[in-house]
Amino acid sequence: MNTNAINRVIIIGAGQAGGETAQRLRQGGFKGEITLIGEEAFPPYQRPPLSKKYLAGKVDMDRLLLRPASVYAEENISLLRDTRAVWIDRASKRVRLEGGRELSYDALVLATGAKPRALKLAGADLAGVHLFRTAADVDAMKAAFVPGARLVVIGAGYIGLEGAAVAREMGLEVTVIETAVRPLARVTSPEVAGFFLDEHTRQGVRFMLGGQPALIKGEARVTGVSLMNGTEIPADIVITGIGVTPETTLAEHCGLKVENGIVTDENCRTEDPAIYAIGDCANRPIAHYGGRQCRLESVHNAVEGAKLTAAAILGQKAATETPWFWSDQYDLKLQIAGLFNDYDHVVFRGAMSERSFAAFYYKDGRLIAVDAINKPGEFLGVKALIHKGLNVPPDVISDESRTMKEIVAAAG
Amino acid sequence: MPKVTYIESSGTEHVVDAPVGQTVMEAAVKNAVPGIDADCGGACACATCHVYVDQAWAEKTGEASSMEMSMLDFANEVQDTSRLSCQIKITEELDGLVIRLPDSQH
Ligand SMILES: Cc1cc2nc3c(=O)[nH]c(=O)nc-3n(C[C@H](O)[C@H](O)[C@H](O)COP(=O)(O)OP(=O)(O)OC[C@H]3O[C@@H](n4cnc5c(N)ncnc54)[C@H](O)[C@@H]3O)c2cc1C
Ligand code: FES
C-alpha cells in the first residue's frame, strides 16, 4: 500500500481558485474526500462581473456562480459556507475551523485570495462607504446607484474605473480621486492611461488627480469627501478601490514563507510539500518570464493555479499560459497579455481616435506584453507569440500593411 | 425549456436543458460538459469557448460580431461554423440545437 496516498484534500478559500481546484480534482478522477472551506455566504463565484454587469444589474447572482450550488453535493465535495479556517497545524496536518472543529488533510490548498485595503481615514466606517471585493459589497452599494446620485471613487485602478463607467451609464455623477498624477499608474503605460483618462472625462467623469483624501464627512451616512488641499466633494456613495493585500494570515502563523504572498514553486507547492498556495494570495515563478516570482491578481492566475495544483495532487502535469487579464469600460474592451512592468519601449497599432488600438511593450528588444483596446486579434496574437517564445521586432509589429495574423504566422 | 446537444470530438453526446436568456457556453459549463474552458466567464475576452455549430443550425444562431470574428481568427482548427459559445444566446427557436466541440481550446 502506498503510504503517501492522498485521500483527504482540504481547500481553504472558496473563491475562483479554490472552486476550480475542487472541480478539476473531480474531473481528473480524484476519488478521495474534498473539503472546500469558505467564509462567504455563496458557493464559489466569479468576481469580474461585480464591477461590470452585476453592478449594472444586467446579470443576477446565479449566473456568477462557477457551478450551480447543487453540484457540490452531487460530486461529493463538502462545501462549508460561512465558515472560517483559523489555524493550521502542519505537524499533525490538521486545520481548525472557527468554533473549534478540526479536520485532517493529506494535501492542503491555500486559496485565501486578497483583502481590499481599507481607507485609514476618519469616517471610513460611515454608511455609504464601500469596499469593492465581494458580492456582499456590491449588493450593499447597489441600492444607492440611482440616476443623479453623487458617487466618489477613491483609487483609479481597473476596478474603480469599471465602477465609474457603470455609474456614468446609469446616470450618476462621478468623481474619481487618485493620489497618483494619472489613473492606472501601477498597471499600464502613461499612453494607455491617458487614453482611459480622456475617455472617462469625455463620458463626464471628474478626476481629482494627485488628490489626497483627508476625511470622509457625514453623521451616520456619508455626505462628502474632504481632500488635504481643502477641496470638498459632496457624495452620496463612496467606493474605495485602492488595491488589495494578499490574505496570508494562516500561512504566516504556521511558519510558511510569505513575501508579497505565500511563496511557492512553479507547481504551486509551498516549502511544505503537503501545502499548496494559489490565486491572489500566492507568489509563484512564471515560466514565460524566466521564472520570475510574481503575485498576480487575475482570473487567469486563479484558474492556472487550480489546474497546476489539481494536476500535482493527481501526480500529473499541467501546461501554463502567457498571463492575461481583461477590463470592460463603456464599450471598450481592454485585453492584456504578458507582464509589462519593466518595459523600455512601446509601439502601437491602430488609432486611439478610433478607440481601437494596441500598445506593444518591449524590453531589450523583446516583446513582453500588449494592452489591446478593442483589438482582440492583437491580444491573442501576442499571447500566442509569448507562449511560443517567439519575438517580433517593433518595426515589424507596427507595420499596419500586414494583419496581426500574418505577422504571427510569419514569426514561426 | 430548449434542449441543446453537445457532441465531444470523441463522439460522446450530452443533451442538456438550456434556459432561455443564458448562453450556449453557460449551459455547457453548468452541466459539466467537458471541452469548453470559458476562462473569462463569457466576457468575450478569452476565446476558450470555441465550438462548431451544426451546419443545420448555423443560420439560426446568427452572425458573429466583428470582435468575435477577430478572436476566432486565432482559435485552433477554425471551420465555417466556428463560434464563441458565450456569444450565442439561447432562444426558444434554438430548441434542439446541435453543437460540436473541438479537440482542445488551446
Ligand atoms: C470587482 C473585481 C473585478 C475584477 N475584474 C477582473 C477582470 O476583469 N479580469 C480578471 O482577470 N480579474 C479580475 N478580478 C480579479 C479576480 O477576480 C481575482 O484575481 C480572483 O477572483 C482571485 O481568485 P482567488 O480565488 O485567488 O481569491 P478570491 O476570489 O478572493 O477568493 C478567496 C476566498 O477565500 C476566502 N477566505 C479567505 N481566508 C479564509 C479563511 N481563513 N477561511 C475561509 N475562507 C477564507 C475569502 O473570503 C474569499 O471568498 C476582479 C476582482 C474584483 C474584486
Ligand atoms: S467564455 Fe471567454 S470568450 Fe467566451
Side-chain angles (χ1 to χ4, degrees):
Chain A
M1 187 185 138
N2 179 0
T3 49
N4 292 327
I6 295 173
N7 296 313
R8 293 162 304 185
V9 176
I10 295 182
I11 303 165
I12 305 180
Q16 184 132 26
E20 294 270 355
T21 306
Q23 188 180 322
R24 280 164 201 275
L25 277 169
R26 280 288 180 256
Q27 277 170 1
F30 181 73
K31 298 277 189 297
E33 288 172 24
I34 303 176
T35 309
L36 178 56
I37 305 166
E39 65 188 348
E40 288 188 66
F42 301 103
Y45 62 91
Q46 311 166 54
R47 297 196 193 284
L50 293 180
S51 48
K52 308 178 182 79
K53 286 187 172 165
Y54 185 72
L55 177 60
K58 289 182 186 159
V59 295
D60 58 17
M61 192 60 204
D62 264 1
R63 291 183 70 184
L64 265 49
L65 300 183
L66 289 185
R67 306 281 305 281
S70 57
V71 162
Y72 298 89
E74 285 162 21
E75 296 191 349
N76 196 20
I77 295 166
S78 166
L79 170 64
L80 308 180
R81 305 193 213 175
D82 288 310
T83 305
R84 263 181 79 76
V86 292
W87 192 258
I88 298 165
D89 184 348
R90 284 166 55 190
S92 66
K93 293 194 175 171
R94 279 142 86 93
V95 171
R96 192 186 315 142
L97 307 181
E98 208 166 40
R101 189 174 156 207
E102 294 196 4
L103 302 168
S104 296
Y105 64 83
D106 303 311
L108 174 65
V109 183
L110 300 176
T112 46
K115 271 193 314 245
R117 269 190 211 115
L119 279 177
K120 293 197 187 73
L121 292 181
D125 53 354
L126 287 170
V129 181
H130 302 280
L131 297 172
F132 210 163
R133 179 77 188 176
T134 65
D137 291 337
V138 177
D139 290 341
M141 67 178 81
K142 256 174 150 174
F145 266 64
V146 291
R150 296 161 305 178
L151 167 68
V152 171
V153 177
I154 302 182
Y158 286 123
I159 295 174
L161 291 188
E162 287 181 347
V166 170
R168 282 304 298 149
E169 284 171 342
M170 292 174 76
L172 282 77
E173 284 177 32
V174 182
T175 306
V176 175
I177 305 173
E178 166 58 53
T179 52
V181 295
R182 57 183 167 92
L184 304 172
R186 268 186 333 119
V187 290
T188 190
S189 58
E191 290 87 347
V192 172
F195 170 79
F196 278 102
L197 176 60
D198 289 349
E199 188 66 28
H200 280 276
T201 305
R202 210 167 56 78
Q203 300 276 2
V205 176
R206 202 156 64 112
F207 280 87
M208 302 272 170
L209 297 173
Q212 302 276 353
L215 171 72
I216 314 270
K217 298 176 59 170
E219 293 290 324
R221 241 200 107 78
V222 60
T223 56
V225 179
S226 304
L227 301 186
M228 294 287 194
N229 67 6
T231 311
E232 298 211 353
I233 308 156
D236 304 305
I237 331 163
V238 173
I239 295 177
T240 54
I242 53 172
V244 296
T245 44
E247 177 49 69
T248 57
T249 322
L250 288 173
E252 282 167 57
H253 283 168
C254 70
L256 292 172
K257 186 169 174 190
V258 174
E259 269 173 23
N260 179 28
I262 306 162
V263 177
T264 76
D265 68 10
E266 67 280 6
N267 293 314
C268 305
R269 205 179 272 226
T270 68
E271 60 200 317
D272 181 333
I275 306 183
Y276 299 81
I278 57 174
D280 283 12
C281 71
N283 188 322
R284 156 174 76 98
I286 302 299
H288 294 89
Y289 290 80
R292 190 202 309 166
Q293 288 285 147
C294 294
R295 192 178 69 75
L296 304 175
E297 295 165 7
S298 66
V299 164
H300 155 255
N301 178 57
V303 172
E304 187 161 285
K307 279 185 199 166
L308 290 166
T309 300
I313 290 173
L314 292 163
Q316 301 164 356
K317 282 260 171 226
T320 58
E321 271 186 280
T322 311
W324 61 274
F325 183 83
W326 82 96
S327 172
D328 294 329
Q329 295 164 49
Y330 310 106
D331 58 343
L332 301 169
K333 180 168 299 292
L334 165 67
Q335 293 165 290
I336 304 173
L339 305 174
F340 88 115
N341 303 68
D342 51 0
Y343 78 99
D344 53 27
H345 186 57
V346 56
V347 296
F348 296 88
R349 286 175 71 86
M352 289 191 190
S353 58
E354 277 159 33
R355 311 172 81 242
S356 171
F357 71 98
F360 301 83
Y361 300 101
Y362 285 83
K363 160 86 175 162
D364 298 332
R366 260 203 102 71
L367 179 60
I368 55 170
V370 67
D371 285 339
I373 288 98
N374 292 348
K375 275 264 186 220
E378 276 62 9
F379 160 72
L380 288 173
V382 173
K383 188 165 169 260
L385 287 170
I386 295 174
H387 183 67
K388 293 180 187 145
L390 299 171
N391 194 32
V392 174
D395 58 322
V396 175
I397 220 147
S398 55
D399 175 2
E400 307 245 10
S401 70
R402 299 165 77 197
T403 67
M404 195 62 198
K405 179 124 186 154
E406 288 163 358
I407 293 172
V408 173
Chain B
M1 198 183 293
K3 288 204 186 310
V4 176
T5 302
Y6 298 85
I7 307 176
E8 291 184 54
S9 56
S10 65
T12 310
E13 292 193 11
H14 306 259
V15 183
V16 312
D17 290 326
V20 169
Q22 296 207 356
T23 65
V24 169
M25 177 281 284
E26 284 175 289
V29 170
K30 306 247 143 127
N31 289 287
V33 175
I36 295 184
D37 292 346
D39 286 339
C40 76
C44 198
C46 71
T48 65
C49 63
H50 174 208
V51 299
Y52 309 119
V53 174
D54 186 85
Q55 204 70 51
W57 292 88
E59 223 161 274
K60 280 203 177 128
T61 46
E63 274 189 17
S65 70
S66 67
M67 277 292 270
E68 185 185 340
M69 293 217 280
S70 315
M71 304 265 286
L72 283 169
D73 236 5
F74 285 84
N76 270 339
E77 316 271 333
V78 183
Q79 301 175 4
D80 283 354
T81 65
S82 280
R83 289 292 306 271
L84 294 179
S85 54
C86 70
Q87 301 303 304
I88 308 174
K89 271 236 166 75
I90 309 277
T91 58
E92 290 295 351
E93 291 72 62
L94 291 184
D95 187 13
L97 176 65
V98 177
I99 295 287
R100 292 169 206 281
L101 302 170
D103 250 345
S104 144
Q105 293 291 343
H106 291 282

